[in-house]
Amino acid sequence: MFLINCPYCGERDQQEFKAGGEAHIERPKQPTELSDDEWAEYLFMRKNIKGVQFERWNHAHGCRKWFNMARDTSNDEIKAIYKMGEKPPTQ
Amino acid sequence: MRNKYSIFSLFKNALSYHENWQRAWKDPAPKKEYDAVIVGGGGHGLATAYYLAKKHNMQNIAVVEKGWIGGGNTGRNTTIIRSNYLWDASAGLYDHALKIWEGLSQELNYNVMFSQRGVMNLAHNLQDVRDLKRRTHANRLNGIDAVYLNTEEVKKFCPIINTSQDIRYPVLGGTLQRRAGTARHDAVAWGYARGADEMGVDIIQNCEVKAIKRSGDTVEGIETTKGFIKTKKIGVVAAGHSSVVAKMAGLKLPLESKPLQALVSEPVKPIIDTVVMSNAVHAYVSQSDKGELVIGAGTDDYISYSQKGSHQIVEGTLNAILELYPIFSRMRMLRQWGGIVDICPDASPILSKTSIKGLYFNCGWGTGGFKATPGSGDLFAHTIANDEPHKLNAAFNLNRFVSGDLVDEHGAAAVAH
């Protein structure tokens, strides 16, 4: 359990939020052109990183807005929070 | 040759105050080369090594474990064993395991305390009732024992359940698999370790894999904290860390690793002589031989390797437990812990070859791998030895995520994910 600093509402308890999994997975621009392997890659394959991971969160019991987070999955430490559409931090 | 455990050896060792028991397995340094290396010394990995040595005559093999054997999810689960899965492929896989469980203590000469005390799954709403009845029929068609119980029969089988109809999620019925039950999880790891070690398998603890070396599409060996080990076959059984090992080989898996929590109470006299699971309210409980209530909570929704979990998950489970078993209201909980489970999109495991020759993965067991330990080891050993899956694990290949031929056990398996 940890505190999350929602970019719209400020610091709130984690149980107000819903994790949305790996961030920056781009939906294929031309789905009809995709091979089965490419579909599997998009739909199912995940980095599942141990270390700093970029992921999506939703403030489900608050403002209900989505945002991104960089979090170290080995100790749950939140490194950065940034809005949807923004590029992930490089540091 | 190892001494056989028996009532006589127990008596003999009692005379010397149990100070002269033989070591159950050696502590070898890794050799330069093995015919196969198993990465991960949990129940599944040790069972794989055991069956490779026993059934496929591969004795020059090693199990490398980054911590100590059985210290991961093998020692963290709630020890439930059952095979009442909905789909044919799952039924085949889990019942294969259950059949091995039934003779495992004798086979290993190690008491794994397998207890067929029955597993009951409760229904709390009309959809649950329909789903559980459907599963009961599916189980019977697959030769798996299953019966549907109405509310009175549930109460009769487990009298401490609150079956009054005015609670928030009343008990409308349930299923019972009598052959299901529990086993002592540590003993499973130790028994397999002892059995494998006796046949010449090297069990190397405190040895973490750092890299997988390959030339082209063929594996050559592993780089570990105890040096390089050459091998042509690598079986990865790394549970929550499967994706981490896969990355070393340049592979991506369809897994997400999440914390799953469990807790035990203070020990009390026998009060519940079966295992009761409730999918809808997420509460499952059994009682260990020490007298502790063993309670399984749910997974968190975020990826984490921290072996911790959120308090509200435990709170939700205990709310449900208290409503179903008001008699536990003054019990104190002694310990709580988390394990990292690797969950597949279809909630079924992967026992498969990969695109890299000589690299095999046994992962994706998610929240329910313990019950499958003997079957998983047996079938994975077959897959590694023959470079082909057994017909019982053919459906659990990695390619199903490309072909779309998923074994969708989410919810259908009577398990709360």
Side-chain angles (χ1 to χ4, degrees):
Chain A
M1 186 179 268
F2 35 85
L3 292 173
I4 295 174
N5 195 4
C6 171
Y8 306 98
C9 311
E11 204 166 70
R12 298 292 178 89
D13 194 296
Q14 174 234 325
Q15 64 176 309
E16 291 186 14
F17 296 83
K18 173 95 185 119
E22 189 179 324
H24 309 298
I25 298 174
E26 208 172 315
R27 187 176 166 82
K29 291 210 167 53
Q30 290 182 303
T32 49
E33 315 264 298
L34 246 49
S35 69
D36 289 351
D37 280 312
E38 287 164 330
W39 259 125
E41 179 73 21
Y42 164 69
L43 268 183
F44 296 125
M45 300 303 163
R46 294 293 177 263
K47 288 181 187 155
N48 199 20
I49 292 169
K50 183 180 186 180
V52 177
Q53 158 167 292
F54 302 122
E55 55 193 17
R56 300 174 305 171
W57 284 76
N58 178 239
H59 195 180
H61 300 287
C63 63
R64 300 177 66 196
K65 287 197 174 98
W66 285 90
F67 58 92
N68 290 315
M69 182 190 291
R71 185 174 56 95
D72 189 335
T73 59
S74 63
N75 58 11
D76 295 335
E77 194 184 323
I78 298 168
K79 301 287 185 187
I81 284 176
Y82 54 103
K83 290 182 181 173
M84 280 289 159
E86 289 178 4
K87 287 212 167 12
T90 47
Q91 286 293 311
Chain B
M1 185 60 196
R2 189 129 304 147
N3 293 337
K4 206 168 146 57
Y5 291 154
S6 67
I7 184 82
F8 304 108
S9 69
L10 187 64
F11 181 72
K12 197 179 124 204
N13 281 281
L15 295 176
S16 56
Y17 301 97
H18 297 295
E19 285 172 357
N20 296 319
W21 283 101
Q22 198 179 17
R23 225 192 138 114
W25 54 85
K26 297 180 290 288
D27 185 21
K31 289 190 234 167
K32 291 220 164 6
E33 184 174 357
Y34 290 98
D35 294 337
V37 173
I38 306 299
V39 178
H44 290 243
L46 293 163
T48 304
Y50 175 83
Y51 291 113
L52 272 173
K54 188 180 175 188
K55 293 173 83 170
H56 304 283
N57 206 26
M58 290 177 72
Q59 273 91 23
N60 183 33
I61 59 177
V63 177
V64 295
E65 162 58 46
K66 74 170 173 180
W68 63 93
I69 61 165
N73 292 351
T74 303
R76 289 166 188 269
N77 60 74
T78 48
T79 80
I80 297 169
I81 295 163
R82 59 187 181 87
S83 64
N84 55 351
Y85 278 67
L86 178 69
W87 300 113
D88 294 351
S90 316
L93 179 69
Y94 291 101
D95 210 50
H96 177 64
L98 183 50
K99 282 175 187 146
I100 304 176
W101 277 114
E102 288 174 333
L104 192 62
S105 291
Q106 287 75 18
E107 183 184 344
L108 295 176
N109 178 229
Y110 204 101
N111 187 4
V112 299
M113 295 164 72
F114 180 53
S115 157
Q116 291 176 297
R117 59 184 68 183
V119 169
M120 190 158 67
N121 295 97
L122 301 180
H124 297 280
N125 53 53
L126 204 53
Q127 190 59 45
D128 275 359
V129 172
R130 292 188 192 113
D131 286 346
L132 293 194
K133 281 185 176 166
R134 178 192 179 201
R135 183 168 53 71
T136 307
H137 295 312
N139 288 161
R140 286 165 143 180
L141 288 171
N142 278 315
I144 293 168
D145 69 305
V147 284
Y148 185 81
L149 308 177
N150 63 29
T151 309
E152 291 76 50
E153 289 164 330
V154 166
K155 182 78 178 170
K156 200 173 165 212
F157 187 70
C158 185
I160 60 169
I161 294 184
N162 178 7
T163 51
S164 71
Q165 294 302 300
D166 62 354
I167 60 176
R168 189 171 175 193
Y169 299 104
V171 177
L172 302 184
T175 65
L176 175 62
Q177 185 183 19
R178 289 184 191 275
R179 283 165 64 231
T182 59
R184 167 95 197 273
H185 48 196
D186 305 309
V188 178
W190 299 335
Y192 273 122
R194 179 170 171 266
D197 179 87
E198 191 174 0
M199 289 183 285
V201 175
D202 280 355
I203 296 164
I204 304 157
Q205 303 183 72
N206 299 309
C207 180
E208 186 177 351
V209 175
K210 290 292 184 192
I212 291 175
K213 198 170 168 227
R214 57 179 175 140
S215 75
D217 277 341
T218 310
V219 297
E220 288 191 325
I222 51 171
E223 199 65 61
T224 74
T225 48
K226 293 190 176 181
F228 181 72
I229 302 172
K230 195 177 162 190
T231 185
K232 288 195 179 69
K233 291 187 175 199
I234 302 170
V236 182
V237 201
H241 281 70
S242 297
S243 299
V244 177
V245 182
K247 197 178 168 195
M248 296 174 193
L251 287 180
K252 240 161 116 182
L253 295 172
L255 297 175
E256 289 191 315
S257 297
K258 296 176 176 180
L260 175 67
Q261 295 178 84
L263 57 161
V264 296
S265 72
E266 59 190 333
V268 290
K269 289 194 173 176
I271 182 76
I272 179 166
D273 63 355
T274 185
V275 182
V276 185
M277 307 177 66
S278 168
N279 192 348
V281 300
H282 207 297
Y284 50 100
V285 64
S286 63
Q287 192 173 16
S288 74
D289 290 6
K290 280 188 284 184
E292 302 159 327
L293 295 180
V294 182
I295 295 168
T299 47
D300 275 291
D301 62 351
Y302 55 89
I303 291 169
S304 178
Y305 289 83
S306 66
Q307 290 191 330
K308 285 180 276 191
S310 304
H311 297 303
Q312 77 265 16
I313 301 280
V314 171
E315 193 180 6
T317 290
L318 289 177
N319 283 344
I321 292 275
L322 287 188
E323 186 173 70
L324 278 175
Y325 311 92
I327 193 174
F328 295 153
S329 64
R330 281 177 294 161
M331 292 281 281
R332 282 165 297 190
M333 294 298 142
L334 276 194
R335 300 191 307 275
Q336 168 275 342
W337 63 91
I340 302 304
V341 296
D342 43 330
I343 300 175
C344 263
D346 60 355
S348 283
I350 296 166
L351 285 133
S352 180
K353 295 164 70 171
T354 63
S355 55
I356 297 164
K357 194 170 159 33
L359 185 65
Y360 307 86
F361 269 88
N362 181 350
C363 58
W365 290 96
T367 59
F370 175 71
K371 66 175 83 66
T373 306
S376 155
D378 183 35
L379 299 171
F380 196 46
H382 180 102
T383 307
I384 293 173
N386 299 302
D387 197 36
E388 272 305 318
H390 188 279
K391 68 176 188 325
L392 286 176
N393 68 309
F396 299 96
N397 60 62
L398 199 45
N399 196 52
R400 73 179 189 265
F401 299 98
V402 178
S403 70
D405 193 9
L406 304 177
V407 188
D408 186 8
E409 287 287 1
H410 257 305
V415 68
H417 287 283

